[in-house]
Amino acid sequence: MKEAHVAKDITVQVVDVPVPTINDDQVLIKVVASGSNPKDWKLPYLYEASANTNPGDDIAGIVEQVGKNVFEFKKGDRVAAFHEMTKPGGSFAEYAVAWQHTTFHIPHNISFEEAAAIPLAAMTAVVGLYDRLKLPQPWSPEAKTQEPTPLIIYGASSAVGIYALQFAQRSNIHPVICVAGQAKDYVRGFIDESKGDIIIDYREGDDAVVAALQKATEGKQCNVFDGVAYGPSVKNLGRVLKKGSHVTYVLGTALKEEGMPEDVQQSITMVGDVHNEHKDLGYVYFRYIARGLQEGWFKPQRTEVVPGGLGGVEYALRRLKEGKASAVKYVFRIADTEGV
């Protein structure tokens, strides 16, 4: 089969490799579409062990084979899945491997391309909001009776930001204070301004962002999902957050940034936890996401199909590295790959 390998310098080679094998708890998926994420260039760039491998983790396709312990899926099912990061069988290939608990059915109203935009980013939002920040589960009584506590989503137009915003609405969390830029009009379609939700445009400068955050939070403790997690976001939040607030970052390097007061709780959102100690969280929420897609209250991040299938991976990863993707998820149709 064809598989894309990403080098340290973000050049990509499409090579021929054997179809991967699965264990008793895994699913082999014929990939129709694969999504991309910033980590797909960062890992090969930063870590020698990840260079010249297939780093793709967002799978959408058709079940080809299931392990003997797999009970929810059968050959021919339309599924999406979150591949276990850094392991063989990634999504930049004709066939990919996923664990059954991070695989979910694609409703008939959702395309493979849309589904490929969901798994990693949506689960990052889940881990951040419900494990790290301990916000009320959408179905819990607390979601209906909780006292208003501001939630700041920094980088609200990113894929993880859009998914965090949708889950926040589902958990009846208000006000949601969104920091976004060029794509703020896109973000506006996911907030409820009648309940105090607002958008702050970071392009107006750091001082303006800080002033707007201070006005919106009114000196209250806040929960923060920081989808940017470097430089300006950490410093700006540090000027706003009060004692007892909690901020979770999507990047571990954010803890090294200066400017956050010591009495503000900080944590790192690690989506890979759903392949380890938080398997139940991943299992439940991927099925909840499938239901939300079918019912229409959960929507995929908007997508852009990159021409050339796997031959377009390098272009997309360079665009991500250069920060040129605005509120869009780059996806690849594997059948468009030369030689497939």
Side-chain angles (χ1 to χ4, degrees):
M1 70 169 189
K2 300 293 184 184
E3 179 176 75
H5 289 181
V6 181
K8 183 178 178 65
D9 62 359
I10 320 181
T11 56
V12 175
Q13 281 190 314
V14 179
V15 299
D16 290 299
V17 299
V19 174
T21 58
I22 59 172
N23 67 29
D24 292 344
D25 297 299
Q26 292 179 325
V27 181
L28 180 67
I29 301 167
K30 182 177 175 59
V31 184
V32 175
S34 171
S36 59
N37 295 282
K39 59 148 284 294
D40 299 339
W41 70 262
K42 290 179 181 178
L43 289 182
Y45 178 76
L46 295 172
Y47 304 104
E48 199 66 38
S50 295
N52 302 306
T53 63
N54 167 4
D57 294 319
D58 281 335
I59 308 167
I62 300 170
V63 173
E64 178 68 20
Q65 180 185 354
V66 299
K68 70 178 184 179
N69 294 335
V70 175
F71 62 92
E72 290 182 85
F73 309 102
K74 64 184 184 305
K75 184 174 181 178
D77 284 349
R78 300 171 76 246
V79 297
F82 172 34
H83 166 262
E84 186 174 4
M85 294 187 294
T86 74
K87 301 296 184 181
S91 65
F92 294 164
E94 291 183 70
Y95 292 88
V97 174
W99 294 92
Q100 64 170 332
H101 75 279
T102 55
T103 302
F104 60 98
H105 290 281
I106 302 174
H108 292 296
N109 58 316
I110 300 296
S111 70
F112 287 113
E113 291 80 8
E114 290 173 315
I118 295 169
L120 184 148
M123 192 50 56
T124 302
V126 167
V127 173
L129 295 182
Y130 300 117
D131 180 73
R132 300 312 197 260
L133 295 178
K134 310 297 184 186
L135 300 184
Q137 310 286 349
W139 52 81
S140 69
E142 290 81 6
K144 297 179 180 179
T145 61
Q146 63 188 321
E147 290 294 322
T149 299
L151 171 67
I152 300 171
I153 301 178
Y154 216 114
S157 66
S158 66
V160 293
I162 285 295
Y163 294 135
L165 179 51
Q166 292 184 71
F167 280 120
Q169 298 293 332
R170 192 70 178 173
S171 287
N172 191 33
I173 296 167
H174 301 284
V176 183
I177 303 160
C178 302
V179 181
Q182 181 179 343
K184 65 180 184 180
D185 289 338
Y186 175 57
V187 174
R188 199 174 304 280
F190 294 90
I191 68 173
D192 188 344
E193 293 178 288
S194 71
K195 295 183 178 180
D197 299 350
I198 65 167
I199 301 171
I200 297 170
D201 193 332
Y202 66 76
R203 295 173 299 177
E204 295 180 3
D206 292 341
D207 288 342
V209 168
V210 169
L213 286 172
Q214 289 172 333
K215 180 179 179 181
T217 58
E218 300 178 329
K220 298 177 181 177
Q221 292 181 2
C222 300
N223 291 304
V224 184
F225 185 94
D226 187 352
V228 178
Y230 72 89
S233 73
V234 180
K235 292 181 174 63
N236 290 345
L237 289 168
R239 294 168 62 187
V240 173
L241 297 182
K242 304 301 181 184
K243 180 179 180 180
S245 295
H246 184 173
V247 54
T248 189
Y249 306 108
V250 297
L251 295 174
T253 53
L255 291 179
K256 299 178 182 178
E257 298 278 355
E258 296 181 359
M260 189 61 62
E262 292 183 2
D263 53 11
V264 171
Q265 183 180 349
Q266 300 179 80
S267 64
I268 302 300
T269 291
M270 302 291 289
V271 67
D273 287 353
V274 298
H275 284 122
N276 298 298
E277 65 266 30
H278 292 316
K279 289 182 180 180
D280 288 352
L281 185 72
Y283 178 87
V284 170
Y285 268 95
F286 273 130
R287 280 134 192 86
Y288 192 59
I289 287 168
R291 177 187 164 199
L293 292 168
Q294 191 274 327
E295 294 180 348
W297 55 260
F298 191 80
K299 300 183 184 302
Q301 167 76 318
R302 59 187 181 186
T303 62
E304 179 180 322
V305 177
V306 180
L310 296 175
V313 170
E314 180 174 333
Y315 166 83
L317 297 190
R318 291 194 182 280
R319 296 274 297 180
L320 289 172
K321 185 176 187 294
E322 294 164 5
K324 294 181 178 178
S326 177
V328 68
K329 175 75 74 169
Y330 292 129
V331 300
F332 318 104
R333 293 191 185 110
I334 306 305
D336 295 343
T337 306
E338 184 177 355
V340 169

